[in-house]
Amino acid sequence: MSTTMRDVARAAGVSVATVSHVVNDKPGARIGDDARRRVHQAIEDLGYRPNALAKTLSQGNSRFIGLVADAIATTPFAGQIIHGAQDEAWRLGYVLLVANTEGNPAVENDAIAMMLEHQVQGILYSTWYHREIEVPHMLQNTATVLVNCFAADDAFPAIVPDEEQGGRTATEELLAAGHRRIAFVNTTSPSPAQSGRLAGYRRALEDAGIGYDDALVFSAEPAQEGGYASTGPVVDSGATGVFCHNDRVAMGLYDGLRERGLRIPDDIAVMGFDNQDVIAAHLRPPLSTVALPHYELGAAGVRTLLGIEPTPVDRLLIACPSVSRKSL
């Protein structure tokens, strides 16, 4: 059986109230040095550990932060959101409570209720891909920061990747490698990534004095099959470099180019997006790409929730860095 405060009091020869005052370091408690020493000695001898949850509930605060996610715990590259939030919370003296709901509203409500019962400092609400969401009603009156998602009315602070900057950086990498005729294989799915990366592509071309050519922009399913299917149009366009909406599209394009006897990057350079390490680092040649900053999204979410990071007026944009490999 675990050691109780009563056991400590008995061993130290003091009252339970005295032990409680020592354990909680209660301000103004009149406890003699000898009694305080005996309590600490009894705690050490008996291996007593205070009930942190009971202390939290009695004091009305906690060192807990909640994180409610739809599926990031089961998505390898997006799982870095949890990693970043957990590391930052621990560094600042907090513990992260994580609930992965798989998008089930009932599970989500139960998870939020549990976290509120534990009197968390606040809740991070995250999705595995960047999108607009409807914020759960239970979070309306709770300190909440959205991570990798945002509310339509921007009523909640949100930490999201800078999609436009990422698209611009990807295109600039191809420009820096000497390419001037650059294709872009975009997704067919409407999203901040679809519009933002296209805007960044156009901005990079404009800054380089290259006119935008709609004939060099293609739409494809954001998966390996989509990249493979786009190979013919990309090759026929005469592009010497291609920016793919994500690494899975690039993987499909690799297959299509190889079937046509084309070499990467000698015949055509390829740039991805996302930095899904299980894909990008293991293609041949390894894929140059732009990383989604999942780790920093989680860390910045914790800092914003605790008031360390200035609260954004609407959304805090986190830069997407380039990852150079061998495909340019």
Side-chain angles (χ1 to χ4, degrees), residues 185-188 218-234 244 246 248-253:
V185 182
N186 203 359
T187 178
T188 53
F218 308 95
S219 295
E221 178 188 354
Q224 186 175 359
E225 294 77 11
Y228 181 82
S230 69
T231 306
V234 167
C244 296
N246 64 28
R248 290 179 297 157
V249 168
M251 180 167 60
L253 184 65

Side-chain angles (χ1 to χ4, degrees), residues 155-170:
F156 290 80
I159 317 297
V160 297
D162 191 340
E163 304 282 7
E164 181 173 343
Q165 169 271 317
R168 185 173 69 250
T169 295

Side-chain angles (χ1 to χ4, degrees), residues 167-224:
R168 185 173 69 250
T169 295
T171 309
E172 287 172 347
E173 290 290 315
L174 287 160
L175 289 165
H179 300 281
R180 291 296 178 269
R181 189 164 179 80
I182 300 170
F184 177 33
V185 182
N186 203 359
T187 178
T188 53
S189 305
S191 65
Q194 182 197 51
S195 57
R197 294 173 196 181
L198 176 61
Y201 165 79
R202 298 187 67 154
R203 177 65 61 84
L205 294 177
E206 179 184 333
D207 291 346
I210 299 173
Y212 171 78
D213 185 350
D214 193 56
L216 287 173
V217 177
F218 308 95
S219 295
E221 178 188 354
Q224 186 175 359

Side-chain angles (χ1 to χ4, degrees), residues 84-312:
Q86 186 169 267
D87 283 356
E88 192 69 2
W90 189 254
R91 185 182 73 82
L92 295 169
Y94 290 82
V95 174
L96 189 71
L97 303 179
V98 180
N100 192 66
T101 68
E102 296 296 334
N104 185 317
V107 174
E108 184 174 87
N109 286 336
D110 287 346
I112 294 172
M114 177 273 292
M115 291 176 180
L116 295 179
E117 288 172 2
H118 281 71
Q119 299 187 10
V120 294
Q121 290 289 317
I123 293 176
L124 304 178
Y125 185 88
S126 184
T127 56
W128 76 269
Y129 71 94
H130 181 191
R131 61 188 175 93
E132 179 185 313
I133 64 161
E134 183 175 340
V135 180
H137 179 73
M138 292 183 68
L139 295 178
Q140 298 296 327
N141 298 311
T142 303
T144 300
V145 173
L146 307 181
V147 178
N148 208 33
C149 56
F150 59 93
D153 59 0
D154 287 320
F156 290 80
I159 317 297
V160 297
D162 191 340
E163 304 282 7
E164 181 173 343
Q165 169 271 317
R168 185 173 69 250
T169 295
T171 309
E172 287 172 347
E173 290 290 315
L174 287 160
L175 289 165
H179 300 281
R180 291 296 178 269
R181 189 164 179 80
I182 300 170
F184 177 33
V185 182
N186 203 359
T187 178
T188 53
S189 305
S191 65
Q194 182 197 51
S195 57
R197 294 173 196 181
L198 176 61
Y201 165 79
R202 298 187 67 154
R203 177 65 61 84
L205 294 177
E206 179 184 333
D207 291 346
I210 299 173
Y212 171 78
D213 185 350
D214 193 56
L216 287 173
V217 177
F218 308 95
S219 295
E221 178 188 354
Q224 186 175 359
E225 294 77 11
Y228 181 82
S230 69
T231 306
V234 167
V235 172
D236 292 343
S237 74
T240 63
V242 55
F243 164 32
C244 296
H245 173 78
N246 64 28
D247 296 342
R248 290 179 297 157
V249 168
M251 180 167 60
L253 184 65
Y254 264 52
D255 292 339
L257 293 173
R258 188 176 297 111
E259 285 184 0
R260 286 165 172 75
L262 297 174
R263 297 166 301 168
I264 301 169
D266 297 339
D267 298 315
I268 188 167
V270 180
M271 187 77 184
F273 204 109
D274 287 354
N275 194 34
Q276 294 191 39
D277 189 64
V278 69
I279 296 175
H282 300 287
L283 290 175
R284 291 294 176 266
L287 177 67
S288 293
T289 188
V290 169
L292 280 171
H294 287 122
Y295 183 94
E296 182 55 27
L297 290 174
V302 169
R303 294 193 297 271
T304 301
L305 188 67
L306 296 178
I308 297 170
E309 192 96 38
T311 302

